[in-house]
Amino acid sequence: WQYNAASRDTDIVYKDAAFTSADFADFWGKFATAVNGATCNDQRVGFDLINEPHTHEESGGKAGDIGISLADWFTCAQAAIDAIRNAGAENTIFVPGMAYTDAALFTTNGSSLAWLNLTDPAQNLAVTAHCYTGVGSSNPTVLRDACSALVAWARTNGTKVNVGEIAID
């Protein structure tokens, strides 16, 4: 889904064109049907909707980068959740926030508020985040500090969190 030849990086594209929530839902419904058929609905399998959604501005205005707005991203995420559930899958669905899924920004960039508006009849959603705050830091608590607001938010809201990528020096 995400390689954009124009920016030569990940982007919110399919075959180098911006996708719609209907396109995204169509893919996820078909994919969930295929995966659960192949795995006999194995609940150890989860669905991670996309890697690092971001706006064009968050990419630094990189030439050729399309990006996606916060509102459009969460519209696409809800459409995918609905399609996955309509396919009969009850597996965990991992939904990232904006700004390249940055754990440190999740509670301040609108992602946490938008995330709370997602609905799931299976009540099996989780936040997925990345934390690269440790790059260039010698602070031994840099990762904990960067993730603390997200973890506090998740505890308050009874939400699962997966920090899927980290980097430290």
Side-chain angles (χ1 to χ4, degrees):
W1 275 97
Q2 287 188 261
Y3 182 74
N4 181 351
S7 66
R8 301 182 71 161
D9 204 349
T10 61
D11 196 0
I12 310 301
V13 298
Y14 178 62
K15 296 183 179 177
D16 293 330
F19 60 79
T20 67
S21 60
D23 296 329
F24 204 56
D26 181 62
F27 168 81
W28 278 105
K30 290 174 181 173
F31 188 68
T33 298
V35 167
N36 279 334
T39 67
C40 299
N41 204 25
D42 188 334
Q43 292 303 297
R44 293 175 294 179
V45 174
F47 298 107
D48 189 349
L49 295 185
I50 203 162
N51 188 48
E52 302 182 342
H54 60 276
T55 66
H56 176 69
E57 291 76 22
E58 289 167 341
S59 78
K62 188 174 187 179
D65 189 275
I66 295 171
I68 191 168
S69 71
L70 179 126
D72 287 347
W73 163 238
F74 281 94
T75 297
C76 286
Q78 185 63 63
I81 292 164
D82 294 343
I84 291 167
R85 297 304 181 226
N86 288 339
E90 294 188 1
N91 311 61
T92 302
I93 300 173
F94 295 93
V95 182
M98 292 295 291
Y100 292 93
T101 315
D102 189 332
L105 298 177
F106 185 83
T107 61
T108 60
N109 68 8
S111 295
S112 61
L113 295 174
W115 206 95
L116 290 175
N117 289 321
L118 296 173
T119 59
D120 177 20
Q123 297 183 334
N124 195 8
L125 299 178
V127 171
T128 187
H130 298 167
C131 187
Y132 286 93
T133 308
V135 175
S137 174
S138 60
N139 177 352
T141 64
V142 66
L143 295 179
R144 179 182 67 207
D145 297 345
C147 295
S148 64
L150 171 57
V151 170
W153 173 88
R155 286 180 176 151
T156 298
N157 292 288
T159 302
K160 298 179 277 188
V161 172
N162 170 56
V163 180
E165 294 181 18
I166 62 167
I168 56 174
D169 285 343

Short mmCIF file of all heavy atoms in Angstrom, two decimals, residues 105-154:
data_model
loop_
_atom_site.label_atom_id
_atom_site.label_comp_id
_atom_site.label_asym_id
_atom_site.label_seq_id
_atom_site.Cartn_x
_atom_site.Cartn_y
_atom_site.Cartn_z
N LEU A 105 3.88 11.84 20.44
CA LEU A 105 2.94 12.84 19.96
C LEU A 105 1.48 12.38 19.99
O LEU A 105 0.57 13.18 19.75
CB LEU A 105 3.31 13.26 18.54
CG LEU A 105 4.67 13.93 18.37
CD1 LEU A 105 4.95 14.23 16.91
CD2 LEU A 105 4.76 15.19 19.22
N PHE A 106 1.23 11.11 20.28
CA PHE A 106 -0.11 10.53 20.18
C PHE A 106 -1.15 11.32 20.96
O PHE A 106 -2.25 11.53 20.49
CB PHE A 106 -0.09 9.07 20.65
CG PHE A 106 -1.40 8.37 20.46
CD1 PHE A 106 -1.72 7.81 19.24
CD2 PHE A 106 -2.31 8.27 21.50
CE1 PHE A 106 -2.94 7.17 19.05
CE2 PHE A 106 -3.52 7.63 21.33
CZ PHE A 106 -3.84 7.07 20.10
N THR A 107 -0.81 11.77 22.18
CA THR A 107 -1.80 12.47 23.00
C THR A 107 -1.87 13.96 22.73
O THR A 107 -2.75 14.63 23.28
CB THR A 107 -1.53 12.24 24.50
OG1 THR A 107 -0.24 12.78 24.83
CG2 THR A 107 -1.60 10.77 24.86
N THR A 108 -1.01 14.49 21.87
CA THR A 108 -1.01 15.93 21.64
C THR A 108 -1.33 16.33 20.20
O THR A 108 -1.55 17.51 19.94
CB THR A 108 0.36 16.55 22.02
OG1 THR A 108 1.39 15.96 21.22
CG2 THR A 108 0.65 16.35 23.50
N ASN A 109 -1.36 15.38 19.27
CA ASN A 109 -1.56 15.76 17.86
C ASN A 109 -2.97 15.45 17.35
O ASN A 109 -3.22 15.49 16.16
CB ASN A 109 -0.51 15.11 16.96
CG ASN A 109 -0.66 13.60 16.86
OD1 ASN A 109 -1.63 13.01 17.34
ND2 ASN A 109 0.32 12.95 16.24
N GLY A 110 -3.89 15.13 18.26
CA GLY A 110 -5.27 14.83 17.87
C GLY A 110 -5.56 13.35 17.70
O GLY A 110 -6.72 12.94 17.64
N SER A 111 -4.53 12.53 17.65
CA SER A 111 -4.73 11.09 17.45
C SER A 111 -5.52 10.45 18.59
O SER A 111 -6.39 9.63 18.35
CB SER A 111 -3.38 10.39 17.29
OG SER A 111 -2.73 10.82 16.12
N SER A 112 -5.20 10.82 19.83
CA SER A 112 -5.87 10.17 20.96
C SER A 112 -7.37 10.48 20.97
O SER A 112 -8.18 9.60 21.28
CB SER A 112 -5.23 10.59 22.29
OG SER A 112 -5.32 11.99 22.49
N LEU A 113 -7.74 11.69 20.62
CA LEU A 113 -9.16 12.04 20.57
C LEU A 113 -9.87 11.32 19.44
O LEU A 113 -10.96 10.78 19.61
CB LEU A 113 -9.33 13.56 20.43
CG LEU A 113 -8.83 14.38 21.61
CD1 LEU A 113 -8.91 15.87 21.29
CD2 LEU A 113 -9.60 14.05 22.88
N ALA A 114 -9.25 11.31 18.27
CA ALA A 114 -9.85 10.62 17.12
C ALA A 114 -9.93 9.12 17.38
O ALA A 114 -10.92 8.47 17.01
CB ALA A 114 -9.04 10.90 15.86
N TRP A 115 -8.91 8.56 18.02
CA TRP A 115 -8.88 7.13 18.30
C TRP A 115 -10.06 6.72 19.17
O TRP A 115 -10.66 5.66 18.97
CB TRP A 115 -7.56 6.77 18.99
CG TRP A 115 -7.14 5.36 18.78
CD1 TRP A 115 -6.29 4.89 17.83
CD2 TRP A 115 -7.55 4.23 19.53
NE1 TRP A 115 -6.15 3.53 17.94
CE2 TRP A 115 -6.92 3.09 18.99
CE3 TRP A 115 -8.40 4.04 20.61
CZ2 TRP A 115 -7.10 1.82 19.47
CZ3 TRP A 115 -8.59 2.76 21.11
CH2 TRP A 115 -7.94 1.67 20.54
N LEU A 116 -10.42 7.56 20.13
CA LEU A 116 -11.54 7.23 21.04
C LEU A 116 -12.89 7.21 20.32
O LEU A 116 -13.86 6.65 20.84
CB LEU A 116 -11.58 8.20 22.21
CG LEU A 116 -10.45 8.05 23.22
CD1 LEU A 116 -10.52 9.15 24.26
CD2 LEU A 116 -10.48 6.67 23.87
N ASN A 117 -12.97 7.79 19.14
CA ASN A 117 -14.22 7.78 18.36
C ASN A 117 -14.37 6.54 17.50
O ASN A 117 -15.42 6.33 16.90
CB ASN A 117 -14.31 9.04 17.50
CG ASN A 117 -14.55 10.27 18.33
OD1 ASN A 117 -15.31 10.24 19.30
ND2 ASN A 117 -13.90 11.35 17.98
N LEU A 118 -13.32 5.71 17.42
CA LEU A 118 -13.42 4.47 16.66
C LEU A 118 -14.37 3.51 17.37
O LEU A 118 -14.40 3.47 18.61
CB LEU A 118 -12.04 3.80 16.52
CG LEU A 118 -11.00 4.57 15.72
CD1 LEU A 118 -9.66 3.87 15.81
CD2 LEU A 118 -11.44 4.74 14.28
N THR A 119 -15.12 2.76 16.59
CA THR A 119 -16.01 1.75 17.18
C THR A 119 -15.64 0.38 16.65
O THR A 119 -15.23 0.24 15.49
CB THR A 119 -17.49 2.05 16.86
OG1 THR A 119 -17.67 2.07 15.43
CG2 THR A 119 -17.91 3.41 17.43
N ASP A 120 -15.79 -0.60 17.51
CA ASP A 120 -15.46 -1.97 17.16
C ASP A 120 -16.41 -2.91 17.88
O ASP A 120 -16.36 -3.01 19.10
CB ASP A 120 -14.02 -2.30 17.54
CG ASP A 120 -13.64 -3.74 17.25
OD1 ASP A 120 -14.31 -4.39 16.43
OD2 ASP A 120 -12.66 -4.21 17.85
N PRO A 121 -17.28 -3.62 17.14
CA PRO A 121 -18.20 -4.53 17.81
C PRO A 121 -17.49 -5.65 18.57
O PRO A 121 -18.02 -6.15 19.56
CB PRO A 121 -19.05 -5.10 16.66
CG PRO A 121 -18.30 -4.80 15.41
CD PRO A 121 -17.44 -3.60 15.70
N ALA A 122 -16.28 -6.00 18.17
CA ALA A 122 -15.52 -7.04 18.87
C ALA A 122 -14.74 -6.48 20.07
O ALA A 122 -14.20 -7.24 20.86
CB ALA A 122 -14.56 -7.74 17.91
N GLN A 123 -14.71 -5.17 20.18
CA GLN A 123 -13.96 -4.49 21.24
C GLN A 123 -12.55 -5.06 21.36
O GLN A 123 -12.10 -5.43 22.45
CB GLN A 123 -14.71 -4.57 22.57
CG GLN A 123 -16.04 -3.87 22.53
CD GLN A 123 -16.77 -3.87 23.85
OE1 GLN A 123 -16.57 -4.74 24.69
NE2 GLN A 123 -17.61 -2.87 24.04
N ASN A 124 -11.87 -5.12 20.23
CA ASN A 124 -10.53 -5.70 20.18
C ASN A 124 -9.60 -4.85 19.33
O ASN A 124 -9.03 -5.30 18.35
CB ASN A 124 -10.60 -7.14 19.65
CG ASN A 124 -9.33 -7.91 19.92
OD1 ASN A 124 -8.45 -7.46 20.62
ND2 ASN A 124 -9.25 -9.09 19.33
N LEU A 125 -9.49 -3.57 19.74
CA LEU A 125 -8.58 -2.65 19.07
C LEU A 125 -7.38 -2.39 19.97
O LEU A 125 -7.48 -2.51 21.19
CB LEU A 125 -9.27 -1.31 18.79
CG LEU A 125 -10.49 -1.31 17.88
CD1 LEU A 125 -11.05 0.11 17.77
CD2 LEU A 125 -10.15 -1.87 16.52
N ALA A 126 -6.28 -2.02 19.36
CA ALA A 126 -5.08 -1.61 20.11
C ALA A 126 -4.39 -0.49 19.36
O ALA A 126 -4.44 -0.44 18.13
CB ALA A 126 -4.13 -2.79 20.28
N VAL A 127 -3.77 0.39 20.10
CA VAL A 127 -2.94 1.44 19.50
C VAL A 127 -1.60 0.81 19.16
O VAL A 127 -1.06 0.01 19.94
CB VAL A 127 -2.72 2.60 20.50
CG1 VAL A 127 -1.68 3.58 19.96
CG2 VAL A 127 -4.01 3.30 20.82
N THR A 128 -1.06 1.15 18.03
CA THR A 128 0.32 0.80 17.73
C THR A 128 1.09 2.09 17.55
O THR A 128 0.58 3.07 17.00
CB THR A 128 0.44 -0.13 16.49
OG1 THR A 128 1.80 -0.56 16.36
CG2 THR A 128 -0.02 0.52 15.23
N ALA A 129 2.31 2.11 18.07
CA ALA A 129 3.12 3.33 18.05
C ALA A 129 4.58 2.99 17.80
O ALA A 129 5.00 1.84 17.96
CB ALA A 129 2.97 4.06 19.38
N HIS A 130 5.33 4.01 17.41
CA HIS A 130 6.77 3.89 17.22
C HIS A 130 7.45 4.92 18.11
O HIS A 130 6.88 5.98 18.38
CB HIS A 130 7.17 4.16 15.77
CG HIS A 130 6.57 3.19 14.81
ND1 HIS A 130 6.58 3.40 13.45
CD2 HIS A 130 5.95 1.99 14.99
CE1 HIS A 130 5.99 2.37 12.85
NE2 HIS A 130 5.59 1.51 13.76
N CYS A 131 8.66 4.62 18.54
CA CYS A 131 9.39 5.56 19.39
C CYS A 131 10.85 5.61 18.96
O CYS A 131 11.62 4.69 19.23
CB CYS A 131 9.27 5.16 20.86
SG CYS A 131 9.98 6.40 21.96
N TYR A 132 11.19 6.68 18.28
CA TYR A 132 12.57 6.90 17.85
C TYR A 132 13.22 8.04 18.64
O TYR A 132 14.27 8.55 18.26
CB TYR A 132 12.61 7.20 16.34
CG TYR A 132 12.37 5.95 15.54
CD1 TYR A 132 11.09 5.60 15.12
CD2 TYR A 132 13.42 5.10 15.26
CE1 TYR A 132 10.86 4.43 14.41
CE2 TYR A 132 13.21 3.92 14.55
CZ TYR A 132 11.93 3.60 14.13
OH TYR A 132 11.73 2.43 13.45
N THR A 133 12.62 8.41 19.75
CA THR A 133 13.12 9.50 20.56
C THR A 133 14.50 9.20 21.13
O THR A 133 15.26 10.11 21.44
CB THR A 133 12.12 9.79 21.70
OG1 THR A 133 10.83 9.97 21.12
CG2 THR A 133 12.47 11.03 22.48
N GLY A 134 14.86 7.93 21.24
CA GLY A 134 16.15 7.55 21.80
C GLY A 134 17.33 7.75 20.89
O GLY A 134 18.47 7.63 21.33
N VAL A 135 17.09 8.10 19.63
CA VAL A 135 18.20 8.32 18.71
C VAL A 135 18.93 9.60 19.12
O VAL A 135 18.33 10.66 19.22
CB VAL A 135 17.71 8.40 17.25
CG1 VAL A 135 18.86 8.76 16.31
CG2 VAL A 135 17.06 7.09 16.84
N GLY A 136 20.22 9.48 19.38
CA GLY A 136 21.03 10.62 19.76
C GLY A 136 20.94 11.00 21.22
O GLY A 136 21.47 12.02 21.64
N SER A 137 20.30 10.17 22.03
CA SER A 137 20.15 10.49 23.44
C SER A 137 20.94 9.51 24.31
O SER A 137 20.97 8.32 24.05
CB SER A 137 18.67 10.41 23.84
OG SER A 137 18.53 10.58 25.23
N SER A 138 21.54 10.03 25.36
CA SER A 138 22.20 9.16 26.33
C SER A 138 21.38 9.03 27.61
O SER A 138 21.80 8.40 28.56
CB SER A 138 23.59 9.71 26.66
OG SER A 138 23.47 11.01 27.22
N ASN A 139 20.18 9.62 27.62
CA ASN A 139 19.29 9.55 28.78
C ASN A 139 18.75 8.12 28.91
O ASN A 139 18.08 7.64 28.00
CB ASN A 139 18.15 10.55 28.59
CG ASN A 139 17.12 10.52 29.70
OD1 ASN A 139 17.14 9.65 30.57
ND2 ASN A 139 16.20 11.45 29.66
N PRO A 140 18.99 7.45 30.02
CA PRO A 140 18.54 6.05 30.16
C PRO A 140 17.02 5.90 30.25
O PRO A 140 16.50 4.80 30.09
CB PRO A 140 19.23 5.59 31.44
CG PRO A 140 19.51 6.82 32.21
CD PRO A 140 19.74 7.90 31.18
N THR A 141 16.29 6.98 30.48
CA THR A 141 14.82 6.88 30.58
C THR A 141 14.11 7.50 29.38
O THR A 141 12.91 7.73 29.42
CB THR A 141 14.31 7.55 31.88
OG1 THR A 141 14.59 8.96 31.83
CG2 THR A 141 14.95 6.93 33.12
N VAL A 142 14.84 7.76 28.30
CA VAL A 142 14.27 8.48 27.17
C VAL A 142 13.05 7.76 26.57
O VAL A 142 12.05 8.40 26.25
CB VAL A 142 15.34 8.78 26.09
CG1 VAL A 142 15.85 7.52 25.43
CG2 VAL A 142 14.79 9.76 25.05
N LEU A 143 13.11 6.45 26.42
CA LEU A 143 11.96 5.73 25.84
C LEU A 143 10.77 5.75 26.79
O LEU A 143 9.64 5.98 26.37
CB LEU A 143 12.35 4.31 25.47
CG LEU A 143 13.38 4.18 24.36
CD1 LEU A 143 13.72 2.72 24.10
CD2 LEU A 143 12.93 4.85 23.09
N ARG A 144 11.03 5.49 28.06
CA ARG A 144 9.94 5.53 29.05
C ARG A 144 9.31 6.92 29.07
O ARG A 144 8.08 7.06 29.08
CB ARG A 144 10.47 5.15 30.43
CG ARG A 144 9.37 5.21 31.50
CD ARG A 144 9.88 4.88 32.87
NE ARG A 144 10.80 5.94 33.30
CZ ARG A 144 11.78 5.75 34.16
NH1 ARG A 144 12.02 4.56 34.67
NH2 ARG A 144 12.54 6.75 34.52
N ASP A 145 10.14 7.94 29.08
CA ASP A 145 9.62 9.31 29.11
C ASP A 145 8.79 9.62 27.87
O ASP A 145 7.72 10.23 27.95
CB ASP A 145 10.78 10.31 29.22
CG ASP A 145 11.57 10.16 30.51
OD1 ASP A 145 11.09 9.50 31.45
OD2 ASP A 145 12.70 10.69 30.55
N ALA A 146 9.28 9.19 26.70
CA ALA A 146 8.57 9.48 25.45
C ALA A 146 7.23 8.76 25.36
O ALA A 146 6.30 9.25 24.72
CB ALA A 146 9.45 9.09 24.26
N CYS A 147 7.12 7.60 25.99
CA CYS A 147 5.88 6.79 25.92
C CYS A 147 4.95 7.01 27.09
O CYS A 147 3.84 6.48 27.10
CB CYS A 147 6.24 5.31 25.81
SG CYS A 147 7.10 4.89 24.28
N SER A 148 5.37 7.78 28.09
CA SER A 148 4.60 7.87 29.34
C SER A 148 3.20 8.45 29.14
O SER A 148 2.24 7.95 29.73
CB SER A 148 5.37 8.65 30.40
OG SER A 148 5.56 9.99 30.00
N ALA A 149 3.04 9.48 28.34
CA ALA A 149 1.71 10.06 28.14
C ALA A 149 0.79 9.08 27.42
O ALA A 149 -0.39 8.95 27.78
CB ALA A 149 1.81 11.37 27.36
N LEU A 150 1.32 8.37 26.43
CA LEU A 150 0.52 7.36 25.72
C LEU A 150 0.11 6.24 26.66
O LEU A 150 -1.05 5.82 26.67
CB LEU A 150 1.32 6.79 24.54
CG LEU A 150 0.72 5.58 23.82
CD1 LEU A 150 -0.68 5.86 23.29
CD2 LEU A 150 1.65 5.12 22.71
N VAL A 151 1.03 5.76 27.48
CA VAL A 151 0.71 4.68 28.42
C VAL A 151 -0.33 5.16 29.44
O VAL A 151 -1.29 4.43 29.74
CB VAL A 151 1.98 4.15 29.11
CG1 VAL A 151 1.64 3.21 30.25
CG2 VAL A 151 2.88 3.48 28.08
N ALA A 152 -0.19 6.35 29.95
CA ALA A 152 -1.17 6.90 30.90
C ALA A 152 -2.54 7.02 30.24
O ALA A 152 -3.57 6.66 30.84
CB ALA A 152 -0.71 8.25 31.43
N TRP A 153 -2.58 7.51 29.01
CA TRP A 153 -3.84 7.62 28.26
C TRP A 153 -4.46 6.24 28.08
O TRP A 153 -5.66 6.06 28.28
CB TRP A 153 -3.57 8.28 26.90
CG TRP A 153 -4.75 8.29 25.99
CD1 TRP A 153 -5.73 9.25 25.94
CD2 TRP A 153 -5.10 7.30 25.02
NE1 TRP A 153 -6.66 8.91 24.97
CE2 TRP A 153 -6.29 7.71 24.41
CE3 TRP A 153 -4.53 6.10 24.62
CZ2 TRP A 153 -6.92 6.97 23.41
CZ3 TRP A 153 -5.15 5.36 23.63
CH2 TRP A 153 -6.32 5.80 23.03
N ALA A 154 -3.65 5.26 27.69
CA ALA A 154 -4.15 3.90 27.47
C ALA A 154 -4.71 3.30 28.75
O ALA A 154 -5.77 2.66 28.74
CB ALA A 154 -3.04 3.03 26.91
#
